[in-house]
Amino acid sequence: MTELNQNWKHVEWVLTDVDDTLTCEGHLPPETLVALKKLQDAGIKVIAVTGACAGWCDHIAQLWPVNVVLGENGAFILEKKGGFLTIQADRDLEEIRQKQGELKTQVLEILKDYPDLNLTLDQSYRLCEVAIDIGQNRPKVDHGIIEEIVARIHKLGAHATASSIHINAWYGEHSKRITSLAYLEAKGLSQSDILTKTCYAGDSMNDQQMFEYLPLSVGVANIKKYWDKLSHKPSVVMSQPGGYGFAEFTEALLALKA
């Protein structure tokens, strides 16, 4: 593990990816939930920033020790207010649904050229995105094919990004970075606050925008699989993968702040 320097002492917000950052090989280690609870108990706010479907995000927001969930790569925000879960987005939810339907038709047309690939099993639980399974419930897809499909979706005028398990595609101008920054600013954080008091944890190619923007960023060990392909790398890397690496990071952060 790379040591956390003194700049990390000021962290008040931890933004984190979910799949293969909080989970590990398709499982949620108990160490992850313990780490999240320790962060909250220490007064550090936790934001899950994920490509996961709305149904999964609802579960995370309702039951996990997190403060807010930015779901489907920033398409919506799930946050408890006054004890009740709320949802908000930068567009009308019906408009989001309509654009999702258009994109689904287009993506299915692309997938006719890749008969071995399918949409994710959780597609029906998504509000905005269209997601292709590239490694969640099937063997990992070759990186060249992933890049090819992402490029074809971009030609449609849609956004697309590849995580460790999915290709996520959507219409709209949101992203992990855009929605994260908008949320933090709405909470009263200045640009200076965001750069010094927030950090981001991730594991994959689709975390690069966050690594680029935030000086304080951490990769769990499995990010090494993508190291040579990353244009922007995390500032520190843990020795353990997935949720075990996140727990390792939590212990280092809390020890430093103590």
Side-chain angles (χ1 to χ4, degrees), residues 66-245:
V66 299
N67 295 81
V68 62
V69 179
L70 311 186
E72 296 186 28
N73 288 298
F76 54 82
I77 299 170
L78 290 176
E79 183 177 19
K80 284 188 176 178
K81 296 180 179 179
F84 301 103
L85 191 62
T86 65
I87 183 169
Q88 63 184 87
D90 64 354
R91 292 177 292 154
D92 180 75
L93 291 179
E94 182 56 35
E95 177 189 347
I96 290 174
R97 280 286 200 188
Q98 290 175 357
K99 297 302 292 184
Q100 181 197 44
E102 294 175 20
L103 183 57
K104 183 178 178 181
T105 299
Q106 294 169 320
V107 169
L108 288 174
E109 189 65 27
I110 290 173
L111 290 185
K112 288 181 180 179
D113 294 333
Y114 308 89
D116 190 41
L117 298 185
N118 295 287
L119 299 183
T120 57
L121 293 177
D122 64 13
Q123 179 60 47
S124 60
Y125 305 112
R126 292 181 178 272
L127 287 177
C128 174
E129 290 186 345
V130 178
I132 303 167
D133 188 347
I134 57 170
Q136 183 178 35
N137 293 299
R138 53 151 298 129
K140 184 69 176 179
V141 175
D142 179 78
H143 186 71
I145 293 176
I146 294 171
E147 289 187 330
E148 187 176 288
I149 294 173
V150 168
R152 290 182 67 173
I153 295 172
H154 285 162
K155 286 184 178 179
L156 299 172
H159 295 278
T161 185
S163 72
S164 58
I165 58 174
H166 298 155
I167 293 174
N168 301 87
W170 67 92
Y171 281 120
E173 296 311 309
H174 59 271
S175 68
K176 284 188 172 185
R177 174 171 160 175
I178 289 171
T179 304
S180 294
L181 297 183
Y183 177 82
L184 291 169
E185 289 171 357
K187 291 297 181 182
L189 275 71
S190 66
Q191 280 293 101
S192 176
D193 289 335
I194 292 172
L195 295 177
T196 58
K197 297 180 180 180
T198 72
C199 68
Y200 183 80
D203 76 290
S204 187
M205 299 288 288
N206 71 336
D207 297 309
Q208 291 185 91
Q209 282 192 342
M210 300 300 288
F211 294 153
E212 177 186 16
Y213 190 80
L214 292 179
L216 303 178
S217 60
V218 56
V220 290
N222 38 302
I223 199 167
K224 289 292 187 179
K225 293 186 292 186
Y226 307 98
W227 201 254
D228 293 339
K229 299 181 179 70
L230 290 168
S231 298
H232 304 284
K233 297 176 170 65
S235 54
V236 298
V237 178
M238 297 296 105
S239 64
Q240 298 295 313
Y244 302 104

